[in-house]
Amino acid sequence: QSVLTQPPSVSGTPGQRVSISCSGSTSSIGRNFVHWYQLLPGTAPKLVIFRTNQRPSGVPDRFSGSQSGTSASLASSGLRSEDEADYFCEVWDDSLSGPVFGGGTMLTGL
Amino acid sequence: QVHLQESGPGLVKPSETLSLTCSVSGASISSDFWSWVRQPPGKGLEWIAYVHHSGNTEYHPSLKSRVTISLDTSNNQFSLRLRSVTAADTAVYYCARLQQVAERPPEYFDYWGRGTLVTVSS
């Protein structure tokens, strides 16, 4: 059971705005920045959002992040087929003295 | 561009030791933090350990008694050893660079390897 809670799956039609939630605790999301990763089978995981809402170079600007209280979310302003992947949130947990991950969300197009 | 690649046996017998190496190019392991993360089949990601370029290490409490992470600066590699493995240790193992901002604890993984599947079975 993961320390951070994500919905197992989220789906949307092409061009639709979709978002993925990530729920934690006061010792994790309540105190530290949330980061998001995209996983595709057979490829290296890719950082898509860091420090709540920062995009690494090369990540499309349709991806955005937000964080409030003990929750965070990742959004795509217009779903594209290449966005279909598993997404994981991650945050430093003060009680663990280490990073923790969500259980992952499979983003699919309808 | 920073590139990481995991290597090691894909099959380990129960009670034996899992040993993996991560080869790094495009960056020096004499700076930054370096880490191992795993993903059991059908499950989420789990942080295992990280090592600072100074040699300081941190381990997940649930694995601390069985894990060692170390640096090999001469070959620009770092390694993972997990002792007394069981079927529960079957997973895809990833190596990654862990980024620190200012004087805060390390925060996010900016570069990852593709991962290597390790199966624990007799």
Side-chain angles (χ1 to χ4, degrees), chain B residues 91-113:
Chain B
V92 175
Y93 285 76
Y94 297 97
C95 59
R97 187 173 76 174
L98 184 56
Q99 272 292 353
Q100 180 189 36
V101 178
E103 298 302 315
R104 293 177 57 85
E107 293 189 20
Y108 57 91
F109 303 89
D110 60 349
Y111 291 100
W112 298 66

Side-chain angles (χ1 to χ4, degrees), chain A:
Chain A
Q1 187 174 358
S2 301
V3 175
L4 304 179
T5 301
Q6 297 181 236
S9 63
V10 168
S11 59
T13 56
Q16 182 181 9
R17 177 182 173 84
V18 292
S19 67
I20 298 170
S21 61
C22 175
S23 178
S25 66
T26 53
S27 67
S28 60
I29 297 179
R31 294 181 186 173
N32 298 297
F33 293 109
V34 176
H35 322 286
W36 293 89
Y37 305 90
Q38 179 190 66
L39 271 71
L40 288 163
T43 67
K46 178 182 178 181
L47 177 70
V48 293
I49 292 288
F50 66 99
R51 305 202 110 203
T52 300
N53 55 15
Q54 304 300 302
R55 277 179 290 104
S57 174
V59 173
D61 61 6
R62 64 179 178 275
F63 286 99
S64 62
S66 64
Q67 180 173 351
S68 179
T70 59
S71 296
S73 66
L74 171 72
S76 170
S77 61
L79 184 62
R80 301 184 63 155
S81 58
E82 58 262 40
D83 299 340
E84 295 184 40
D86 291 331
Y87 291 85
F88 289 83
C89 55
E90 178 257 313
V91 68
W92 182 270
D93 189 299
D94 289 346
S95 62
L96 178 69
S97 292
V100 292
F101 292 90
T105 299
M106 180 182 299
L107 178 60
T108 58
L110 296 172

Side-chain angles (χ1 to χ4, degrees), chain B residues 32-84:
Chain B
D32 298 315
F33 290 82
W34 303 92
S35 185
W36 290 94
V37 175
R38 69 181 181 179
Q39 184 178 23
K43 296 187 178 180
L45 296 168
E46 179 182 45
W47 165 68
I48 301 170
Y50 68 75
V51 56
H52 186 247
H53 64 85
S54 64
N56 290 339
T57 58
E58 288 291 342
Y59 299 102
H60 194 291
S62 70
L63 298 170
K64 188 172 184 177
S65 64
R66 299 193 292 130
V67 174
T68 302
I69 188 172
S70 58
L71 297 172
D72 177 3
T73 55
S74 61
N75 290 305
N76 213 41
Q77 297 175 333
F78 63 103
S79 299
L80 176 76
R81 287 174 55 85
L82 179 62
R83 297 174 290 279
S84 304

